[in-house]
Amino acid sequence: MLVAGNWKMNPPSKADAIALARRVLEVTPLDAGVDVVVCPPTIWLDTVALTLQGSAIAAGAQTMHWEDAGAFTGESSPSMVAELATHVILGHSERRQYDNETDEKVARKVVAALGHGLVPIVAVGETLAEREAGEAETVVSRQLVAGLADVASLDDRAIAIAYEPVWAIGTGVAASPADAQAGGALIRSILRDRFGAPAEAVPILYGGSVTAANAAELFALPDVDGALVGGASLKPDDFAEIVRAAGASAP
Ligand code: PGA
């Protein structure tokens, strides 16, 4: 199981970020079988990574560029990120929507992340309009196949996929267990077709309004191996509860 907290553009100050990381460290149960990652804003990745140093909680980035260096104003390279983090979220729907993160860019970033020993958490998911048009499966398949287009083989748990239906993100309305399982199963079948047996070991996360109240039900699903948590990751006690639920479902 893998539980990743996506802090997005929160909290408001560096002092708050340190306090949040400390509190997460204090209250999060570190059960066997659950990998826990928190992904602060890049500007505080260094500070938060230092705060978490020596603990079993890892630091992750919310994005990165694919090039090693160069004239890319505002960006962070894979090697910069890899100095501080173990994981990186790629293709989050907010970046697809607001920062023109295309499938092609995700594909380049995935290769770059793997090349630098980072675990990419590749986020895929359909919008409400796409779902209502009956295109959910097509969209998720396209994003996944395109995002992993240049990955030759899967090396065990070196990669994670997050099924995040856009309509469930930040809305308070999580996907139903049936829909979360359908998304996870679709992703698993695509991974199997592409990569064979190693696909079974890839953590498939669900994301979108995961809370302390619904986590256990989601983690009990066969093709949900954890969560990408936004809002609730800013509430250490809720996040801890989600991690606890993951521990209870860990194989
Ligand atoms: P949410 O966000 O948990 O606030 O819905 C999830 C995400 O965007 O990763």
Side-chain angles (χ1 to χ4, degrees), residues 6 8 92-94 164 168-172 207-210 228-232:
N6 175 8
K8 307 193 180 183
H92 189 282
S93 67
E94 285 149 19
E164 295 210 305
I169 296 177
T171 60
S209 299
V210 174
L228 183 51
V229 185

